[in-house]
Structure formats: structure tokens, C-alpha cells
Amino acid sequence: MTAGARGTISAMNRPVRDLSRPTKPSSAVQSRMAEETAARAAAAGPAPALPEDAGVAAELRTELAEVVDSLAPELVALSRDLHAHPEVGHAEHHAVAAVAELLRAHGVSPSVGVYSMDTALRAEIGADAAAERGERQDAGAPQPPASPHVPTMAILAEYDALPGVGHGCGHNVMCANSVGAFLALAELERRRPGVLPGRVILQTTPAEESDTAKEILAQRGMLDGVDAAIQTHAYAHDLADQTWLGVRRMSAVYTGIPSHASSQPFMGRNALDAATLALTGLGLLRQQILPMDRVHAVVDDGGRVANVIPERAELNLMVRSKYPETLKDLVGRVEDLLHGAALMTGTGVEIITDANTNEMPVRSNGPLLQAWVRSQRERGRDPLPAGVVPETIAAGTDFGNVSLRVPGIHPLIKVTDRDDVALHTREMAAAAGSPTGDDAAVDGAYGLAAVALDWLHDAGLRDAVRADFEAAGGAVDVAGFWEE
Ligand SMILES: [Zn+2]
Ligand SMILES: [Zn+2]
């Protein structure tokens, strides 16, 4: 039999595509996902909501809505101002000043630069908060927990942007949600002294995109005395709940021995070979991991010239999984693999991880989500229940680190009329500064304020929130998670 009889000639005749550019990814999967999402939404029915007789009384919710609508121009202005001045993590100086100014205009004195983080701001209202409103400009744990303890809700606010993409994650809208909710509750308290039977804290949390700042803030006391924490996230759908993966950031530095690549290669130990084997191993590992696990890496350093055996190579990796325990397991397997590449090549390896525990998966609190869903229906929105939008689109957030310490929610609010706009794109940035983004800024402010009021006014709801949190595993030692 000849080679020609096996068809090699026809393969050789196949036209060569234009190799100057990449092939275009098929949109078939996205089309299918959109169809399947629509079908699941129809089949799932409405997300569970708090019953009418639970939470805060309907008349107070009506008054809250009036207050939020009266604040709407200022909330939209804040969202647009942040959108026009995008700042990356820990450089949110314009944003923190804008939030502080708005709070002061409404008679609330914030502390700026709390927990030794220049662009972190904190303010409090409600029971026992009056004595703690002194303005501070710097460091340290700003407030001792109220004593005796009163129910305390923290509303967290993000305002960092992405380099090159601006507010492609919509944090300007989210900041307006959180600041707006806090101001609405402050105004309600001014109108009706005593309407807050507990404390409400506004805590801005810098650098969500670039750092695990909420972990640092939590370790420095941000959640001391806090019973629950809430915030929103911008998105292309209204979603009560969605999967957010935990992530471990790692670097692997391989150390070899340089030598002349032609005359004395046998005297070298090749660090780039180790990095190559590690990448190959990761590629093969992917077949044996969970569908929601993610492992991705880039080569930060791979040598300088081809005629020297590379002495140093560095891989930058992110390992993600859906649950804390599966994340820990996967990180262990990746570390074995990284060690194995060193063993195969006779190189040394050092695995470097962030000093601060990386992002944990988000654990959403069921009863608080029900309060959120009710609030959004009152604004004409209908958040989809969990499981409708495929979790394969999951990313990560440092709110996960908060949600394993105290009960919390991180629902998504729709900022665009197009359901195909992805986070971290220029299209999402445009939506976050558009009229649909403005509507979300106001509706989300009402939603977070209503959730806080529901929780403060209903001891049964607070018990249910705590029971749901305990049933899901209770508080996790996040700071010590990787040391066990
Ligand atoms: Zn983002
Ligand atoms: Zn984000």
C-alpha cells in the first residue's frame, strides 16, 4: 500500500487559511446558551421573595422609595462622576473624595483612610453610632463595636475600575447603589428618629479588581461587630444569585543553571523547560478536574536569548474552584505538578502565594436574597433565580471572603438592555455610564436599603438569616484557610 492510497494527497491540497490573523471563535455556544437560558428562565418561574408580612412594614418601604427617588439625581451624578473618572485599585482618590463630599452634604461625617488603606471610607448611622461619627483622616481600627451589641448591617461599596477599560465592571453603578442605600437610610432616620433599630455601616472597599482588599480589611477589623454584609454587582441580567468561584493566585519561579546553548548545553539546567513542562502538565490536568475548575497561567519570564540555557523562568497562575474544599484540593494537585516539573529538569522551584488569602467562593444567604428579590419587584425588576444563567460564565470576587465570615448577598443588577454584554468589556463600560446604568444605580440603592430595613425590623428574619448561614457551614476561618 502506498501513502497516496491513504488520502494524504487530498489533505495536502486543502486551501491554507490566512495565517496572518487568528480564526474567529464560533458564537454557536453563546447562541445555544442564550436559548437555554431563556428556556430555563421560563421553566424556573419567579425567584422566591420575602412574603408581604415579613420584614419592614409596607408603609415604611413606600416612604423609603420616596426618599430614594428624591436622592436619585445625586446618585446618578455620583455614578456618572465615577464613570468619567475611572481609577484603578488603591488609586480611587477622586472616588473616595466624591463619596465623602456627598455624605457630608447630607450631614454624615465619614472616616477616610480607615484600616490603613488610603481610599477606604467608613461611616455609620443608627443606634449607638452618633458618638462614633467623629471624622478621622487616617489609620487604625476606627470604631470599636457598639456595646452592648445591636444588630449591625454593613453595606459595602466598590469603586475601582479596570486599566484600559474604565468601568467595564460597572463598579460606579455599584458604588451609587451602596452609598445611595446608606444615604436613604440616613434621610429616613432624620425624618423619623429611631427608625433604625440597630447600626448601618457604609464601608467602601478599594481594589476589588487588583487585590483581595476585602480580605485585608476583614483581617484589620472591617467586620468586627457586623452581623451581615450586602452589596450588588452590575451585570447584563437581574440575577438573585450566581456562582462566584474561589481563586488562588500563585507564582512558580524555576531556577536553572545558565550555559552556552551550543557548546556546553550539558552543563546547563533549563528553567524554561521546567515552565514548559508545567504548562503541559496543566493542559493535561484539565481533563481530570471538575467542570467548574479553572487553571490558567502565563509565562512572566522565560529567558532572554536563545543561545543561553535559561537560568530563570516564572509562571503566573490562577487556580479557581467552586467550593473552598475543592479549591484547596486543586491547589494541592497544581503544586505537585509544579514540583514535578522541577524534578524532571533538575531545576529548583519556589512557589509564591499572596500574603493575603485569595478570593473565596461566594456563599449567598437565602433569606437576605428573598428580601432583595422583593425589593427589586417593587422597582419593576424581576431577578432570575439561581441556576438560570449558566454558571460556566463564573468569575471571582473578594466579597467571597466576606460571605464566609458573615451572612451576605451579592446579587446582580442589570445595567444594559442587551443580554449579551459581558463584564470587563468596553460595551459594559458604556452601559454603566448610560441611562440603563442610571436606572440600576437608583433601583439598587432602594434594594440594598430595603434589605437592611427588612433585616433590622424583623427579628424572625434575622434568625432565619443566621440559621441559613449556620446550615451552610457557619463562619469559616478564612484568614487561616491556607495554613491548615
Ligand atoms: Zn471585575
Ligand atoms: Zn466587579
Side-chain angles (χ1 to χ4, degrees), residues 158 169 171 208-209 233:
E158 295 173 13
C169 214
H171 293 185
E208 188 278 332
E209 298 288 358
H233 202 288

Side-chain angles (χ1 to χ4, degrees), residues 142-421:
Q143 289 106 11
S147 180
H149 182 75
V150 295
T152 300
M153 168 74 80
I155 304 175
L156 307 184
E158 295 173 13
Y159 40 35
D160 61 324
L162 294 155
V165 192
H167 276 291
C169 214
H171 293 185
N172 60 308
V173 173
M174 294 149 54
C175 180
N177 288 164
S178 299
V179 173
F182 183 80
L183 282 178
L185 294 171
E187 175 62 18
L188 201 62
E189 188 194 40
R190 197 185 62 75
R191 289 188 185 188
R192 291 174 172 252
V195 78
L196 299 179
R199 286 195 309 162
V200 179
I201 295 168
L202 173 69
Q203 174 73 57
T204 71
T205 60
E208 188 278 332
E209 298 288 358
S210 56
D211 202 352
T212 313
K214 288 188 190 65
E215 176 62 29
I216 300 167
L217 290 166
Q219 290 187 18
R220 292 178 184 170
M222 169 178 82
L223 298 173
D224 292 357
V226 167
D227 300 300
I230 57 177
Q231 71 161 90
T232 56
H233 202 288
Y235 197 51
H237 296 272
D238 284 306
L239 271 187
D241 197 9
Q242 174 66 2
T243 297
W244 294 83
L245 302 176
V247 58
R248 180 73 158 159
R249 296 184 179 86
M250 311 163 73
S251 290
V253 177
Y254 289 99
T255 305
I257 299 173
S259 67
H260 194 292
S262 175
S263 68
Q264 287 202 316
F266 43 85
M267 294 304 290
R269 293 291 181 268
N270 193 323
L272 181 59
D273 282 1
T276 304
L277 287 164
L279 286 175
T280 305
L282 291 176
L284 293 171
L285 176 71
R286 287 193 181 100
Q287 191 183 9
Q288 284 76 234
I289 61 180
L290 294 168
M292 284 309 299
D293 288 349
R294 302 279 185 267
V295 186
H296 30 119
V298 292
V299 179
D300 267 357
D301 180 12
R304 293 283 174 271
V305 290
N307 60 359
V308 177
I309 299 288
E311 181 178 15
R312 185 180 187 282
E314 179 169 349
L315 288 178
N316 205 309
L317 305 100
M318 296 177 87
V319 182
R320 302 182 194 248
S321 196
K322 187 175 169 181
Y323 306 103
E325 58 274 26
T326 56
L327 179 62
K328 187 178 269 188
D329 177 66
L330 183 60
V331 165
R333 294 170 75 190
V334 169
E335 286 177 350
D336 283 351
L337 187 155
L338 296 171
H339 290 143
L343 204 57
M344 282 189 280
T345 51
T347 56
V349 62
E350 186 182 10
I351 298 174
I352 301 162
T353 51
D354 199 305
N356 301 300
T357 303
N358 296 148
E359 292 161 17
M360 301 296 276
V362 171
R363 179 200 288 167
S364 293
N365 187 272
L368 286 177
L369 278 183
Q370 292 184 15
W372 169 260
V373 170
R374 183 171 79 174
S375 81
Q376 293 306 284
R377 294 223 177 103
E378 288 170 348
R379 304 299 291 190
R381 293 171 182 262
D382 198 11
L384 294 169
V388 170
V389 171
E391 63 179 4
T392 49
I393 59 168
T397 166
D398 59 8
F399 187 80
N401 300 45
V402 172
S403 73
L404 293 183
R405 286 174 160 95
V406 296
I409 54 169
H410 186 262
L412 296 127
I413 188 160
K414 183 180 175 72
V415 299
T416 167
D417 284 334
R418 283 176 47 195
D419 61 8
D420 62 342
V421 178

